[in-house]
């Protein structure tokens, strides 16, 4: 699954366009490397999002094309 879509479906970032902009600005890392919006995620990847002085680090546990609000947080584990 594309990184920007995963961020939106998992609700780590509210909108896909915002997720794409964050990737374009170099604020998102996958496994320690700067990631592009179109990069493909796999189960087990570590995603790190830098928002100013706040950092969110999560491990991908599941990949779904659509997730309900209650199931979205089961797609990742915060580290």
């Amino acid at each position: 699954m594309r990184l920007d879509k995963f961020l939106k479906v998992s609700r780590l970032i509210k909108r896909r366009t915002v997720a794409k902009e964050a990737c374009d600005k170099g604020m998102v890392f996958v496994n320690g490397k700067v990631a592009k919006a179109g990069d493909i995620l796999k189960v087990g990847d570590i995603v790190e999002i830098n928002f100013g002085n706040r950092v969110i680090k999560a491990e991908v546990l599941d990949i779904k094309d659509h997730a309900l609000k209650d199931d979205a947080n089961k797609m990742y584990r915060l580290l």
Side-chain angles (χ1 to χ4, degrees):
M1 174 182 283
R2 286 175 55 107
L3 174 59
D4 57 345
K5 185 171 182 181
F6 175 82
L7 293 174
K8 183 223 177 255
V9 172
S10 66
R11 290 176 169 79
L12 285 170
I13 296 181
K14 203 169 205 174
R15 293 186 193 99
R16 190 168 177 177
T17 55
V18 175
K20 183 182 180 320
E21 290 172 4
C23 292
D24 291 344
K25 291 180 181 177
M27 299 167 55
V28 181
F29 299 85
V30 175
N31 297 327
K33 298 178 183 175
V34 177
K36 296 180 184 176
D39 287 351
I40 304 299
L41 281 183
K42 303 178 298 291
V43 173
D45 284 346
I46 305 296
V47 178
E48 185 176 329
I49 308 166
N50 296 322
F51 287 120
N53 60 353
R54 185 173 176 207
V55 176
I56 299 172
K57 195 170 186 180
E59 177 184 4
V60 178
L61 298 178
D62 192 14
I63 294 179
K64 299 179 184 177
D65 285 333
H66 177 74
L68 299 174
K69 187 176 183 179
D70 296 334
D71 296 333
N73 63 352
K74 295 176 184 171
M75 293 178 65
Y76 62 90
R77 177 174 54 105
L78 294 176
L79 303 175

